[in-house]
Amino acid sequence: MKNQTETLFPSKGHLRVVQFPDSVKIHSFSPPPTASMAVSAFTPIIRTTPSPSFTIPTSPYLSSFTRTKKLQHGVLSLPPVAALSDPFVLQIAESLEDSLPSSSSSSLQKLRDFASESLLSTPWPSRKDEPFRFTDTSFIKQSEVIPVSSSPPPESLNHLSVFEDTHLLNLTLIDGYIIDSLSQLSGLPDEVFVGSLSSISSNEITKRVLEFLPSSEQGDLFWSLNGVGSPDLVVVYVPEGCKVEDPLHLRYISNEGSDKESKKLPVSNPRVLVVVEKGGEIGILEEYVGGGDGDLSYWTNSVMEIVIGEGAKVTHSYIQTQSMSSAHIKWTSIQQEKSSTYELVEVSTGGRLSRHNVHVQQVGSDTITGLSTFHLSGSDQTQDLHSKIVLDHPRGFSRQLHKCIVAHSLGQVVFDGNIKVNRYAQQTDAGQLTRSLILEPRATVNVKPNLQIIADDVKCSHGAAICDLEEDQLFYLQARGIDLQTARKALILSFGAEVIDRFPSADLRKKVELHVKKLLDPKVPSKVV
C-alpha cells in the first residue's frame, strides 16, 4: 500500500488532493453531507495515513517545484501541496467567499469554481515576478484586507443622490453593488439589456451571456480574486444590428474606506461583461471615483470583459480619479471578431497604486484596435499600464499611444506594452508609441515596449521617449512675451491634451482637462465659473 496524505476541500470546491511520495493527484468528488461541509473551500482538512517503514519528508525545496497542471484521464496532476498555496492568498480568498450575500447569483458558480481552483496554486506577486518587476504590491499585502459584504444603506447615500454631470443613461455601482436608485436606464432601446445577471428575464440572453464566462485561465491573481469575490455580474447586452445612440455611463463609487493611517483595507470586486452582437454599436464610459473623504484607504479590484461581434463597434472611455490612498487594480479583456472596432481612451490620475491590465485578442480578420492612454503620477503614486494586443488574422489594424507625466520626485509610472503579430496575421498594420514627461529629479519611469512579429508581410513600428520639457519649446514661448512658469504649464497641459481630446464628448473633455489642471496646479478652481 502506498504511503499517502489526503487533503479534502469539502465545500464549494469538491476536490480531493492525494499526495504520494512522488506526485499529487486531485480528484473531483461529491462528499457525504457532514457537519464539516460548512468549512470554506479554501480551508483544508488533513487526514494522514502514516507508514511505519516510510515518512514523507518536509523539505525547503518543495516550494521551488515548478507549478504545472496536466489533465490526464480526468485526473489533475500537480506538484506537492506544500508548493500549491500561499497563506495570504488563501486567507483573502476565504474571506471573499464568506462575504458573498446569500442572494448571490448561482449562475456564477462556474466562474467561482474555476477562480477557486486557480488560486490554490497562485502566489502573491512579488518584485521577482516579471509582470510585477516594477510594481510594488506590498501596500496591499501589509494591510488587513476586509471584503465589503453588502450594499450601503440608503440613508448613507444622500450625499451621492445628485450628480451635476449625470448622463442620460447611467448605471451606478457602490463598492461593487448595483444601486438602482442612483441609476437611469429608461432611455435604452427595448431589446438592449443593462443590469444584473440575476435580473435577466430572457432565457436566450442568459444562455448567450453564460457562454462567455471563463472556463480557462484568463488573467493573473487579481483576476481570480475578482472571480471568487464578485457579488454579481453586471451585463451589458446589445443584440444584432442594434446601435445605442447615447453613451452608457458606468459609475463606480468606493464608499467604504478606512483612515489612511489604519491597516484596514476594504476591498470591492465589481465585474462587468459586455456582449455586442454582429453589427451592434455602443459607447461606454467607465468612471471610478471615491464617494467619501478624498483620502480614504480602500482597494477596488475590477474586471471588465468585452465581446465584440462581427462588424460591431465599441468605444470605451475610462476615467480613474480615486483616492490618493487607495489601491486600484483593473482588468479589461477584449475579444474582437471579424471587421469589428474597439477604441479605448483612458485618463488615470488617482490611487496610491493603480494598475490597468488591457488584453486584446483579434479573433477575426480586418479588425481595428485603438488604445490611447494618459497617466499622471504625483507624490508616492504608482501608475501602471500593462497592455497586450494579439493579432492572429489578416489585415488587422492597431494603434497604441501611451503618454504619462511624473510630477513628483516620489512618483512612478510603469508601461509594459506588448503587440504580437502571429504567423497568419499577414498585411497587418500595427503601431505603438510611448512618451513620458519627467518634471522632477529622481522621478521614475519604467517603459518596456515590445513588438513581436512572426508574419512576414506587415507594416509595424514602435517608439519610446522619456525627457523633460524641451528648452527650445520654452524659449519659443518666452520669446513671445510669455513668462517661464506660464510657458511650462501650457506645455505640460498640451502634452496630455493629445489623449484627452480623443474623448467622444466635449463636456467630458472639458471635465477631464479641468481635473488635470487642478492636480498640476492646486490654485486652479475646481469648477469653471
Side-chain angles (χ1 to χ4, degrees):
M1 177 178 178
K2 291 185 178 180
N3 186 76
Q4 66 182 56
T5 299
E6 188 175 285
T7 305
L8 302 184
F9 295 83
S11 180
K12 299 176 183 177
H14 291 187
L15 299 176
R16 173 183 281 114
V17 180
V18 183
Q19 177 176 331
F20 296 96
D22 58 351
S23 66
V24 173
K25 293 184 178 181
I26 293 183
H27 305 266
S28 297
F29 79 108
S30 297
T34 63
S36 65
M37 289 292 290
V39 182
S40 166
F42 298 99
T43 306
I45 300 173
I46 310 296
R47 291 210 303 256
T48 305
T49 305
S51 170
S53 61
F54 184 80
T55 303
I56 298 178
T58 56
S59 168
Y61 299 104
L62 286 177
S63 60
S64 65
F65 278 114
T66 304
R67 296 175 174 86
T68 58
K69 300 181 180 181
K70 294 182 180 180
L71 189 61
Q72 295 177 343
H73 307 296
V75 177
L76 185 64
S77 298
L78 295 172
V81 174
L84 287 179
S85 58
D86 182 321
F88 181 69
V89 171
L90 297 189
Q91 179 185 352
I92 296 179
E94 184 178 354
S95 63
L96 288 172
E97 184 185 61
D98 293 341
S99 71
L100 294 176
S102 56
S103 58
S104 180
S105 175
S106 60
S107 301
L108 294 179
Q109 196 58 48
K110 176 184 177 183
L111 169 64
R112 290 178 180 139
D113 287 345
F114 175 77
S116 300
E117 179 184 332
S118 65
L119 286 174
L120 292 176
S121 58
T122 307
W124 187 265
S126 71
R127 300 290 286 270
K128 295 180 180 179
D129 301 314
E130 184 61 29
F132 290 85
R133 180 181 174 189
F134 304 112
T135 307
D136 186 5
T137 59
S138 61
F139 161 54
I140 300 176
K141 191 171 185 179
Q142 294 170 0
S143 302
E144 180 185 354
V145 178
I146 305 173
V148 179
S149 58
S150 61
S151 59
E155 57 271 16
S156 67
L157 305 179
N158 293 333
H159 66 294
L160 302 174
S161 58
V162 177
F163 288 83
E164 295 180 359
D165 57 346
T166 296
H167 288 62
L168 179 62
L169 301 176
N170 62 81
L171 183 72
T172 299
L173 293 91
I174 297 183
D175 296 324
Y177 293 86
I178 297 176
I179 307 299
D180 293 327
S181 61
L182 298 178
S183 304
Q184 172 59 261
L185 300 173
S186 58
L188 281 172
D190 294 337
E191 61 272 25
V192 174
F193 176 84
V194 177
S196 167
L197 172 63
S198 57
S199 63
I200 299 178
S201 57
S202 170
N203 292 332
E204 292 183 2
I205 295 180
T206 301
K207 182 179 179 180
R208 178 63 170 157
V209 166
L210 293 179
E211 291 179 7
F212 298 105
L213 289 184
S215 57
S216 60
E217 188 171 356
Q218 298 288 324
D220 60 5
L221 166 73
F222 300 102
W223 175 288
S224 297
L225 287 175
N226 179 280
V228 171
S230 181
D232 205 344
L233 178 68
V234 177
V235 176
V236 178
Y237 180 80
V238 180
E240 182 175 339
C242 180
K243 296 184 179 180
V244 183
E245 298 295 335
D246 297 318
L248 173 64
H249 189 182
L250 301 178
R251 301 181 296 194
Y252 304 82
I253 303 171
S254 297
N255 193 52
E256 190 78 21
S258 63
D259 186 87
K260 66 178 181 178
E261 303 299 331
S262 171
K263 286 292 185 180
K264 295 183 178 180
L265 191 68
V267 58
S268 60
N269 292 276
R271 194 178 190 103
V272 179
L273 173 61
V274 179
V275 179
V276 183
E277 301 285 14
K278 180 179 179 180
E281 187 172 327
I282 190 172
I284 296 176
L285 165 61
E286 285 191 291
E287 184 175 12
Y288 289 82
V289 298
D293 186 346
D295 220 13
L296 287 179
S297 181
Y298 51 84
W299 173 17
T300 302
N301 186 43
S302 178
V303 170
M304 171 177 274
E305 299 169 89
I306 303 176
V307 181
I308 310 175
E310 180 180 344
K313 181 178 181 180
V314 173
T315 56
H316 183 191
S317 303
Y318 166 55
I319 304 172
Q320 191 274 109
T321 60
Q322 294 202 296
S323 162
M324 296 297 183
S325 299
S326 68
H328 179 87
I329 299 179
K330 175 175 168 59
W331 265 91
T332 303
S333 176
I334 303 99
Q335 177 181 307
Q336 291 185 250
E337 296 184 8
K338 179 181 178 180
S339 302
S340 63
T341 300
Y342 173 75
E343 296 175 356
L344 169 68
V345 182
E346 170 189 346
V347 171
S348 180
T349 63
R352 175 178 172 182
L353 167 62
S354 176
R355 179 182 175 107
H356 189 192
N357 300 282
V358 184
H359 280 205
V360 181
Q361 181 79 42
Q362 294 188 350
V363 296
S365 60
D366 302 288
T367 49
I368 299 175
T369 304
L371 307 180
S372 303
T373 54
F374 171 64
H375 290 179
L376 174 61
S377 180
S379 175
D380 199 24
Q381 274 189 284
T382 297
Q383 294 283 349
D384 181 356
L385 175 67
H386 271 62
S387 65
K388 185 176 183 179
I389 303 175
V390 181
L391 300 98
D392 280 316
H393 298 269
R395 297 177 299 280
F397 179 89
S398 72
R399 285 291 183 272
Q400 180 175 19
L401 172 64
H402 171 257
K403 286 196 165 187
C404 66
I405 297 177
V406 188
H408 195 277
S409 58
L410 297 179
Q412 178 184 215
V413 166
V414 180
F415 171 71
D416 189 322
N418 190 300
I419 298 178
K420 188 173 183 180
V421 183
N422 287 325
R423 183 177 305 277
Y424 299 106
Q426 302 295 342
Q427 300 178 5
T428 287
D429 186 347
Q432 180 189 76
L433 178 62
T434 172
R435 290 180 174 174
S436 306
L437 187 60
I438 296 180
L439 302 182
E440 296 289 341
R442 298 186 300 279
T444 304
V445 172
N446 294 288
V447 296
K448 186 182 175 183
N450 192 344
L451 182 58
Q452 304 176 46
I453 305 173
I454 302 177
D456 54 13
D457 181 13
V458 299
K459 183 170 67 174
C460 299
S461 64
H462 70 162
I466 304 174
C467 62
D468 195 351
L469 293 175
E470 294 185 9
E471 295 296 332
D472 290 346
Q473 294 176 337
L474 292 172
F475 176 77
Y476 180 85
L477 294 178
Q478 288 179 286
R480 281 149 181 79
I482 301 175
D483 64 89
L484 178 61
Q485 185 176 7
T486 303
R488 285 187 63 88
K489 289 180 181 179
L491 290 175
I492 291 170
L493 186 62
S494 63
F495 180 83
E498 185 177 359
V499 174
I500 296 175
D501 288 345
R502 298 186 182 189
F503 281 116
S505 165
D507 291 339
L508 185 59
R509 292 193 293 269
K510 185 175 181 180
K511 173 185 174 180
V512 174
E513 181 180 335
L514 180 61
H515 172 73
V516 172
K517 282 183 178 179
K518 179 68 176 177
L519 290 176
L520 292 172
D521 184 4
K523 297 179 182 180
V524 174
S526 301
K527 297 181 180 180
V528 177
V529 180

